[in-house]
Amino acid sequence: MEFQAVIMAGGRGSRMTDLTAKCPKAMLPVGNNPLIWYPVNMLERAGFEEVIIIALESSVTDIQKSLVSRGIKMKLDIVGIPDNEDWGTAESLRHIKDKIKTDILVVGCDLISDISLHQIANLHQAYDSSVTMLLSPLPDQYTDIPAPGIKSKKKTERDFIGFDEKGKRVLFLTSEVDLEETISFSKSTLKRHPYINIRSKLTDCHLYLLKKWVVDFLAENQRMYTIKGELIPHLVRRQFCRPKAQESEIPGNTPASLASQQDTKPSIHDFTVNNDSYSSQIIDLSTWIDHDGDMADCFHGESIRCYAHIQEEGFCIRANTLSSYCEANRQVPRLLSTLSPHKECKLIHPTAVVKEKSQIGQDCLVGEDVTVGEKVSIKRSVIGRNCTIGDKVKITGSVIMDNIHIAESCNIQGSIICSQAQLSEKCELKDCIVGHRQQIIAMGKFTNEAIIDVEKMMEI
Amino acid sequence: MAPKTKTSQRGEDLKQEDVLQAVVIADSFNIRFGPLTQKKPRALLPLVNVPVIDYTLNFLAAAGIQEVFVVCCHLADQIRTHLKNSKWSESSSTMTVTPVLSDGCLSVGDALREIDSKALIRSDFILITGDVVSNIAVQDIMAIHKKRREKDKSSLMTMIYKKAPIGHSTRCPEDDVVLAVSTQSEQVLHYQKTRQEKRLDMPVEILLDNTDVEIRYDLMDCQISICTPLVPQLYTDNFDYQTREDFVKGILINEEILGNTIHLHVVKDEYAARVSNLQMYDAVSKDIIRRWTFPMVPDQNFISTDKQRISYGRHNIYLSENVSLERGCVLEENVVIGSNTIVGSNTSIIDSVIGKNCIIGENVKIKGGYLWDGVKVEDHCMIDTAVLASGVIVYKNTTVNTGSVLAWDVKVGPDIVLPMLVLLMSEPQKDEFDSDTEEPIPEVTPVFGSKSKAFEYRASCGSDDDEEEDGIIQDTWGLKILSDDEDYDDIYSTDSEDDIDVDDGVDEADIELGDVDEHDVVMFYSELIDTLKRAKEENIGKDNVILEINSLKHAYNICINDVHRMVVKAVIDLPLSISKDIETTQVMNILKPQLAAQKSLLLNYIKSPEAQLDCLNSLEGFSEENKLVKSALIKIIHYFYHEDMLDEQVIFKWYKKEPHPDNITSHTAVRKQVAPFIKWLQDAEEESSDD
């Protein structure tokens, strides 16, 4: 493929700070794999041979190690970004701009999907698109399920995305927080695109194919902070803007304009100029046209074009919030066989010891060296490595990370237990988060709480 | 096609409902058809030789409608008589057509209130205006509507829209509308006429409350809607509803309170159009001739009271009985000719409709003409895109230009060229409000020819609310494409500015800097032109003009180089823009006195070599955009040199200047043009140095 792949793994997981305080987001375990393994795996399946990973400096070695240990054969180029500065995705991309030689594929480290990338790449190339994004109609269950931890007011982060008649081109993009009293369309835009279908049930998967010039443009615009927040909306809006270059071609009735333009920064349209005369000739000579009803040029002469591929089938989730992280863990066991077809994949690791009369559901994962006691029931859950689970424990819909000791008769529902935690007997946890190295006293009962490094909470 | 399913469909409907009803509003409540509708209601105007309302009634009959109420207001008696004599009043008719006379109606709202007060409606009915031509299978849509009603009682109305891309000929600019529709339920969420607005705003709630919304600007209103019996009642309850637009907007605004909804049905392949103004009259006529409206085409002769036969030939030529075509006359394509019409020799007709009993002379050219019955066109006339009502006489050698309307019994000519877009009637217009100012009616009106009887009609006399709009529509008839293009460019350019305004501040500053600068320069220039104009008109002294220009310079923050350029440009631009149609040879004759008059002003600015260079650059730039200047560039430069405003050294310097990479071609072209002058200068210099 003629794309360079970039994975953005420098995020801090600001939507699930309870989990990411001790562990970088990219390394959070999902189905006993670090989160970053999923996008890397997706790229490998698509045939990429190299990938650039942007990660926090402190986590570079961890990532490298864990990926190699899981049999990733791709050439990994992991670029560290400073831990103490809060860089956005756009800044990160600017940081590696010298490595970018072709169009790029940018993907966040939190995308778990079984999509085959050629569909979106085909779309990108067929329409000579500037930006192609991946959208997915997420079922409500992924976002509406109650999140473990302290109940917080649910924030809506819906995107409103307007498509053309074919449902491919993106004509309108705004997120719910940016909405004002009215939404407004200019008549000239409507004249060229008289049909706009605005959908709000789609989730942006943060997988983008960007033209090389977009990276160049980004490099010049220091003020852009993130790809999703600023770059993409900017490009979507600029699609209908007339290039300024044309104005200066109109014989100068204002001689001053020429002079003033020379010292201003190049506008976005200057970046779109296609140096490849061959491909512009193809457009000139081709009779293909992307719209009907008028005699205008292909694409109406618009040089910036944004498209989106909507993944109607298959699995796709972004593990970027607590609830979606839990849901990802619940879904992944079903998915592992398709994600890594070559590796023999057993849900219960051969080294795990499960005693009699214990029931482990088909939708569970049990890691290496786990000991499970008698009469244990595990449903819709993921158990990490080196865990000890006592007798008569019930675990439902939960994530148990590595090296955790759970004493007898505990009942754990919909919770996340971080590594090295100790649960004493007869604990009852419902929709809770238990932090790193935390200990829960015997008979403790908790609902919707985050038991993390704050000592006060333990004393209660 | 509608008629094939007719019988079976009607049988089914009979079981469900007792009768299918329709309400036809046979009045437009406006004066779009100018003088034509003063004597005849719009519903009876002939469209390809058939009264408009017959198309509508045929459409309803084909859809299996059994009972039709025709609301007539203006000249209601004529409509009643027409219906009485039509095939609908014969005993074999499948449909009963009842005229509802109500002289007091001033709007669609009034008409529906009238219907409501008479309690004529018993079930869901079709609401249509009496000027719609359509072959939509409306019975299918009726079925969809009823099905929806069973599930959802709140659905009040299904509006039928047709998919028509922008620029579609039957898409009436007046009715342009943007709709927001829910994709799943086809419920209308927002309705907005676009009119002259450049941006279209819709409330954000429609996005928040619906997950899947379509914004549609690719639809045209067919003016057909399926209504529940509640609709007339709602009109009665809300006496401020005048039009269907009011109704739709009212329902949408009160949707949350009253819970009523409106739905949309989009048809794709069928035909529907409303003859709402002259432009549409032209477009629909052409569509009928080109058989888009099948089965309602001229040769089908669907008004059965009239038994004449019409033959259909190649290139869409329709000829009635007893048409006599003299030797050498050419009917090119898309022509309909009514019975007993005579077409003279060497006459050529294209894209036109000619009524019964017309007499067309020799060597006449008719293109896009709509000649109604009994029109007489004498020899050597030209008619281009015009409507000539019954009884019009065009005397010989007369040209009727694009967009004209000659109402009943108008006479024009001979030997005259009518201006474009002229509306004529045979009697002077009566002022509706004060008829005291009556002048004696002259026998002839020499403006329109020595034998003429024609008076200009002005739409502004009407008591219509949207006169301005009216004017726009009238103006654009026949010039549609031209005006549309201008419109587009206009919006296009402002749009890009708008977009910058709403930008998120990423590179806003940079772009805006350039923009503002440019804008100021343009403003400065226009002010400068105004100043010079006024100076000339009011004889303001040179010193004062200079003072004013300098203050403008500060006001707009223009640098001195630009001022030099602008002044030179303005001085040349002004006389050229005032006088029109200048031959290239005359440019200097016009310019010279002006330049002489402004010499002192120019000298005030163009002193230093740099200023002179600015002056030359300005001339060069201006010559690129103005052909006249280009043709006379060498003479202008020569004049400036002659008047000692330009130094020969500066001219040489300018001539040798390196071209800007952007405009090498124009640069060399200009150099080539002035080469003889430079040569002459060099020779002169050498000569003087020799001395």
Side-chain angles (χ1 to χ4, degrees):
Chain A
M1 263 196 231
E2 44 272 61
F3 293 104
Q4 277 179 289
V6 180
I7 296 179
M8 293 291 174
R12 282 152 198 283
S14 54
R15 292 180 189 84
M16 38 187 187
T17 42
D18 293 343
L19 297 182
T20 50
K22 284 282 177 322
C23 174
K25 179 168 143 191
M27 292 301 291
L28 278 180
V30 173
N32 291 338
N33 287 314
L35 195 47
I36 193 165
W37 178 81
Y38 293 93
V40 174
N41 167 270
M42 178 176 69
L43 294 172
E44 200 171 56
R45 274 186 293 130
F48 278 91
E49 285 168 358
E50 278 179 49
V51 62
I52 302 170
I53 298 175
I54 297 172
L56 294 176
E57 245 160 19
S58 57
S59 61
V60 168
T61 44
D62 285 351
I63 291 175
Q64 174 87 35
K65 254 191 243 164
S66 68
L67 287 177
V68 171
S69 72
R70 280 175 173 79
I72 296 291
K73 294 183 189 71
M74 269 200 289
K75 193 180 156 205
L76 302 171
D77 179 2
I78 305 181
V79 180
I81 56 168
D83 277 49
N84 48 3
E85 280 172 58
D86 198 12
W87 279 15
T89 45
E91 268 173 306
S92 309
L93 206 54
R94 268 200 291 278
H95 181 64
I96 57 153
K97 65 172 192 286
D98 296 334
K99 292 176 187 265
I100 307 294
K101 302 283 182 278
T102 65
D103 294 0
I104 60 167
L105 183 151
V106 184
V107 61
C109 69
D110 50 11
L111 179 68
I112 303 174
S113 171
D114 59 357
I115 185 186
S116 49
L117 288 172
H118 72 263
Q119 291 176 350
I120 182 170
N122 284 352
L123 180 73
H124 185 76
Q125 275 158 343
Y127 291 94
D128 195 20
S129 163
S130 311
V131 176
T132 311
M133 52 209 274
L134 177 69
L135 301 172
S136 178
L138 287 193
D140 286 339
Q141 62 176 85
Y142 291 2
T143 46
D144 285 356
I145 39 171
I150 298 160
K151 270 186 185 164
S152 57
K153 212 182 158 202
K154 200 169 157 263
K155 270 187 217 160
T156 44
E157 290 183 34
R158 278 194 291 174
D159 284 321
F160 296 96
I161 304 167
F163 295 93
D164 71 347
E165 210 155 352
K166 295 190 184 96
K168 295 220 158 57
R169 180 142 181 209
V170 177
L171 304 168
F172 175 83
L173 176 75
T174 186
S175 61
E176 192 161 359
V177 281
D178 294 339
L179 280 180
E180 286 159 27
E181 289 281 291
T182 56
I183 44 167
S184 147
F185 294 94
S186 78
K187 204 168 172 184
S188 66
T189 305
L190 282 175
K191 274 187 174 171
R192 278 176 286 165
H193 305 285
Y195 177 98
I196 303 176
N197 180 9
I198 300 181
R199 300 174 64 172
S200 53
K201 277 266 167 141
L202 295 170
T203 308
D204 185 351
C205 296
H206 287 233
L207 186 150
Y208 309 106
L209 296 179
L210 304 175
K211 273 248 178 326
K212 168 83 168 69
W213 68 258
V214 178
V215 182
D216 296 338
F217 168 73
L218 196 63
E220 288 293 320
N221 285 274
Q222 301 290 342
R223 272 179 287 178
M224 291 222 178
Y225 182 67
T226 62
I227 295 179
K228 161 77 181 165
E230 282 128 25
L231 177 67
I232 305 284
H234 183 77
L235 290 172
V236 170
R237 247 193 328 265
R238 279 305 166 97
Q239 292 183 92
F240 316 111
C241 222
R242 185 163 51 166
K244 291 204 65 95
Q246 279 184 7
E247 278 166 33
S248 62
E249 275 166 26
I250 297 165
N253 51 355
T254 50
S257 66
L258 273 175
S260 69
Q261 272 191 356
Q262 279 163 0
D263 49 16
T264 58
K265 265 211 297 195
S267 84
I268 187 164
H269 292 278
D270 297 341
F271 289 97
T272 65
V273 175
N274 200 343
N275 295 322
D276 179 8
S277 63
Y278 195 55
S279 68
S280 57
Q281 205 182 352
I282 290 172
I283 289 183
D284 281 351
L285 293 175
S286 165
T287 54
W288 179 81
I289 202 158
D290 71 323
H291 56 87
D292 46 30
D294 58 25
M295 301 292 282
D297 286 348
C298 188
F299 305 124
H300 296 276
E302 290 159 348
S303 54
I304 306 172
R305 294 180 296 277
C306 304
Y307 290 86
H309 175 73
I310 301 171
Q311 189 190 16
E312 300 284 3
E313 299 165 350
F315 178 81
C316 184
I317 192 166
R318 276 192 75 209
N320 65 336
T321 62
L322 280 172
S323 57
S324 64
Y325 173 75
C326 289
E327 189 58 30
N329 271 294
R330 286 169 206 145
Q331 300 284 343
V332 151
R334 288 193 295 116
L335 210 67
L336 278 179
S337 57
T338 47
L339 290 182
S340 49
H342 305 300
K343 242 186 359 187
E344 204 179 316
C345 178
K346 282 199 173 151
L347 293 177
I348 299 172
H349 200 272
T351 54
V353 182
V354 181
K355 288 197 185 147
E356 284 171 39
K357 289 187 185 170
S358 287
Q359 291 184 325
I360 299 178
Q362 284 303 301
D363 43 8
C364 295
L365 270 181
V366 178
E368 296 160 47
D369 301 322
V370 172
T371 349
V372 179
E374 279 180 27
K375 291 188 186 169
V376 170
S377 143
I378 302 176
K379 288 175 194 157
R380 293 168 62 226
S381 299
V382 178
I383 317 286
R385 274 173 297 177
N386 288 325
C387 291
T388 333
I389 296 171
D391 297 345
K392 293 178 198 162
V393 170
K394 269 192 184 172
I395 301 175
T396 320
S398 299
V399 183
I400 316 290
M401 294 187 189
D402 299 346
N403 304 319
I404 288 168
H405 178 83
I406 300 174
E408 295 160 24
S409 305
C410 285
N411 188 351
I412 302 165
Q413 280 182 39
S415 300
I416 301 171
I417 319 282
C418 293
S419 52
Q420 296 177 30
Q422 305 265 340
L423 273 65
S424 309
E425 304 93 359
K426 292 185 183 168
C427 286
E428 283 186 33
L429 297 177
K430 192 163 183 273
D431 298 330
C432 288
I433 298 172
V434 178
H436 187 67
R437 284 175 190 273
Q438 298 297 320
Q439 300 195 343
I440 306 282
I441 49 165
M443 310 281 284
K445 263 194 180 179
F446 299 94
T447 311
N448 283 102
E449 280 191 60
I451 303 149
I452 44 172
D453 234 353
V454 191
E455 260 108 54
K456 277 182 270 173
M457 294 191 88
M458 294 308 301
E459 288 161 11
I460 296 166
Chain B
M1 279 306 134
K4 286 176 196 162
T5 54
K6 186 165 134 185
T7 42
S8 64
Q9 195 71 31
R10 204 183 315 135
E12 279 170 34
D13 283 338
L14 266 175
K15 273 175 238 155
Q16 288 171 9
E17 299 278 344
D18 12 7
V19 262
L20 280 175
Q21 295 178 308
V23 172
V24 177
I25 312 285
D27 202 314
S28 54
F29 308 107
N30 62 36
I31 46 163
R32 299 281 188 277
F33 276 85
L36 293 173
T37 42
Q38 290 206 332
K39 280 197 176 168
K40 219 174 197 181
R42 187 200 285 190
L44 296 184
L45 298 183
L47 179 74
V48 195
N49 296 337
V50 174
V52 177
I53 196 167
D54 283 329
Y55 289 94
T56 313
L57 292 175
N58 264 290
F59 156 68
L60 293 173
I65 304 296
Q66 290 140 298
E67 194 172 5
V68 176
F69 300 103
V70 180
V71 185
C72 356
C73 313
H74 178 59
L75 302 171
D77 279 343
Q78 284 189 35
I79 298 179
R80 189 167 61 177
T81 322
H82 175 82
L83 292 176
K84 204 183 260 173
N85 298 331
S86 72
K87 68 173 176 179
W88 310 114
S89 49
E90 288 170 14
S91 54
S92 61
S93 168
T94 57
M95 186 167 87
T96 59
V97 179
T98 319
V100 177
L101 272 62
S102 52
D103 276 330
C105 286
L106 292 172
S107 68
V108 177
D110 290 342
L112 280 169
R113 282 184 273 273
E114 184 81 23
I115 291 282
D116 186 46
S117 69
K118 292 191 173 158
L120 295 168
I121 298 301
R122 292 184 295 267
S123 67
D124 291 359
F125 67 100
I126 293 172
L127 177 65
I128 189 172
T129 52
D131 44 14
V132 171
V133 179
S134 172
N135 58 12
I136 292 175
V138 80
Q139 63 272 40
D140 299 345
I141 303 167
M142 188 70 142
I144 296 171
H145 171 80
K146 283 184 172 159
K147 215 172 191 176
R148 180 157 46 222
R149 281 278 290 165
E150 277 168 24
K151 277 190 228 147
D152 175 11
K153 284 280 172 216
S154 68
S155 175
L156 274 185
M157 189 193 250
T158 302
M159 297 196 286
I160 300 176
Y161 275 74
K162 176 172 133 68
K163 205 172 163 198
I166 287 141
H168 192 283
S169 63
T170 53
R171 202 176 143 134
C172 178
E174 197 180 345
D175 287 331
D176 244 11
V177 69
V178 173
L179 293 166
V181 188
S182 160
T183 311
Q184 286 97 18
S185 66
E186 291 189 307
Q187 187 190 332
V188 178
L189 305 169
H190 184 75
Y191 176 98
Q192 190 179 9
K193 289 226 175 174
T194 59
R195 299 217 169 88
Q196 302 300 311
E197 283 143 50
K198 286 182 178 159
R199 295 199 79 85
L200 298 155
D201 298 323
M202 5 198 120
V204 76
E205 284 78 28
I206 61 170
L207 283 190
L208 297 173
D209 302 344
N210 298 276
T211 51
D212 207 340
V213 179
E214 289 172 351
I215 312 279
R216 306 201 66 159
Y217 188 48
D218 58 344
L219 299 176
M220 64 172 244
D221 194 347
C222 303
Q223 303 287 349
I224 308 169
S225 27
I226 300 169
C227 305
T228 58
L230 275 177
V231 172
Q233 288 172 25
L234 278 166
Y235 269 103
T236 310
D237 293 348
N238 299 278
F239 50 84
D240 55 331
Y241 289 173
Q242 295 299 315
T243 59
R244 202 181 69 168
E245 187 192 351
D246 293 339
F247 177 80
V248 172
K249 284 197 158 165
I251 294 297
L252 291 179
I253 288 167
N254 295 323
E255 194 196 311
E256 278 170 27
I257 308 164
L258 300 170
N260 291 324
T261 54
I262 292 176
H263 288 82
L264 178 76
H265 185 91
V266 178
V267 295
K268 272 184 188 149
D269 302 324
E270 292 155 302
Y271 190 87
R274 181 185 179 199
V275 185
S276 49
N277 54 39
L278 286 167
Q279 212 171 312
M280 290 299 117
Y281 180 85
D282 182 41
V284 176
S285 298
K286 281 180 177 151
D287 287 340
I288 293 172
I289 297 173
R290 290 179 184 140
R291 307 179 81 77
W292 286 104
T293 57
F294 193 86
M296 282 180 260
V297 286
D299 53 319
Q300 289 285 324
N301 190 24
F302 40 86
I303 335 173
S304 58
T305 47
D306 188 351
K307 293 289 181 209
Q308 63 163 312
R309 251 186 298 163
I310 300 176
S311 70
Y312 170 53
R314 265 196 324 167
H315 307 304
N316 295 332
I317 308 284
Y318 302 87
L319 297 178
S320 305
E321 290 164 344
N322 297 327
V323 171
S324 76
L325 304 172
E326 311 235 326
R327 183 192 301 240
C329 80
V330 184
L331 308 181
E332 282 186 48
E333 55 173 357
N334 303 326
V335 179
V336 179
I337 299 185
S339 54
N340 302 321
T341 287
I342 301 163
V343 180
S345 60
N346 294 325
T347 285
S348 116
I349 303 176
I350 180 168
D351 293 333
S352 298
V353 178
I354 294 169
K356 282 180 281 190
N357 306 320
C358 292
I359 301 166
I360 317 278
E362 293 173 12
N363 280 317
V364 174
K365 281 195 165 52
I366 302 178
K367 181 173 174 277
Y370 299 95
L371 279 59
W372 296 355
D373 298 345
V375 174
K376 195 172 169 202
V377 179
E378 289 194 44
D379 302 351
H380 309 290
C381 284
M382 291 247 290
I383 293 169
D384 183 6
T385 322
V387 176
L388 277 60
S390 302
V392 166
I393 300 174
V394 181
Y395 292 107
K396 66 177 170 34
N397 269 328
T398 301
T399 302
V400 179
N401 256 321
T402 312
S404 302
V405 174
L406 310 188
W408 319 94
D409 306 316
V410 163
K411 295 171 188 161
V412 288
D415 307 310
I416 198 137
V417 177
L418 293 185
M420 290 215 278
L421 304 171
V422 71
L423 308 175
L424 298 178
M425 49 199 281
S426 56
E427 295 156 11
Q429 201 168 1
K430 282 191 197 106
D431 203 315
E432 283 176 33
F433 301 109
D434 50 346
S435 43
D436 306 337
T437 55
E438 259 183 60
E439 291 162 22
I441 301 168
E443 278 304 304
V444 288
T445 43
V447 198
F448 300 111
S450 53
K451 289 201 257 177
S452 73
K453 190 176 147 205
F455 301 90
E456 210 161 330
Y457 169 86
R458 299 214 179 274
S460 54
C461 277
S463 52
D464 201 355
D465 278 347
D466 27 34
E467 285 155 26
E468 285 167 43
E469 241 184 284
D470 208 11
I472 294 162
I473 301 302
Q474 296 282 14
D475 284 347
T476 51
W477 188 49
L479 300 167
K480 188 179 132 213
I481 297 158
L482 187 80
S483 63
D484 248 21
D485 276 359
E486 285 166 1
D487 188 35
Y488 183 76
D489 262 339
D490 202 26
I491 291 166
Y492 202 62
S493 59
T494 44
D495 176 53
S496 61
E497 279 167 35
D498 277 1
D499 272 11
I500 287 161
D501 282 347
V502 297
D503 210 338
D504 49 2
V506 175
D507 46 9
E508 181 178 11
D510 310 319
I511 289 170
E512 254 175 16
L513 188 73
D515 257 24
V516 167
D517 220 346
E518 215 166 279
H519 186 232
D520 275 1
V521 170
V522 173
M523 287 293 291
F524 172 78
Y525 186 69
S526 68
E527 287 265 2
L528 183 63
I529 291 271
D530 286 346
T531 309
L532 291 178
K533 247 186 218 162
R534 208 170 27 159
K536 197 181 154 199
E537 277 160 19
E538 296 170 16
N539 257 333
I540 299 172
K542 165 209 152 197
D543 290 335
N544 286 337
V545 174
I546 292 172
L547 204 65
E548 204 155 318
I549 294 174
N550 286 347
S551 66
L552 279 177
K553 166 186 177 297
H554 291 295
Y556 288 99
N557 197 15
I558 304 289
C559 69
I560 189 72
N561 298 33
D562 281 345
V563 175
H564 295 151
R565 296 180 205 189
M566 297 289 181
V567 169
V568 172
K569 189 180 160 189
V571 167
I572 295 171
D573 196 5
L574 194 59
L576 291 182
S577 59
I578 290 169
S579 30
K580 281 170 192 156
D581 304 329
I582 314 166
E583 295 289 321
T584 45
T585 47
Q586 296 174 338
V587 174
M588 239 14 230
N589 297 342
I590 294 167
L591 276 181
K592 250 182 194 159
Q594 283 299 317
L595 288 174
Q598 304 284 10
K599 188 186 166 190
S600 54
L601 176 77
L602 288 169
L603 276 176
N604 182 65
Y605 285 101
I606 301 163
K607 287 178 197 153
S608 65
E610 287 83 41
Q612 292 181 20
L613 205 58
D614 284 338
C615 165
L616 280 166
N617 286 336
S618 166
L619 286 173
E620 183 183 348
F622 193 31
S623 76
E624 276 165 35
E625 54 189 276
N626 191 321
K627 274 190 190 148
L628 293 172
V629 176
K630 189 168 186 166
S631 63
L633 182 64
I634 182 165
K635 286 179 187 158
I636 296 171
I637 296 177
H638 185 218
Y639 180 85
F640 274 76
Y641 171 74
H642 186 74
E643 295 292 319
D644 288 333
M645 283 187 270
L646 293 177
D647 193 61
E648 59 212 33
Q649 293 308 326
V650 178
I651 296 177
F652 289 143
K653 194 177 162 194
W654 166 77
Y655 183 74
K656 283 171 193 149
K657 192 182 72 167
E658 283 295 310
H660 191 276
D662 284 350
N663 46 16
I664 291 178
T665 47
S666 60
H667 180 92
T668 46
V670 168
R671 297 297 177 280
K672 210 171 175 183
Q673 201 191 346
V674 295
F677 172 65
I678 300 293
K679 191 160 182 290
W680 175 82
L681 263 186
Q682 280 166 338
D683 289 350
E685 196 181 20
E686 275 162 24
E687 267 171 39
S688 60
S689 60
D690 282 352
D691 293 341

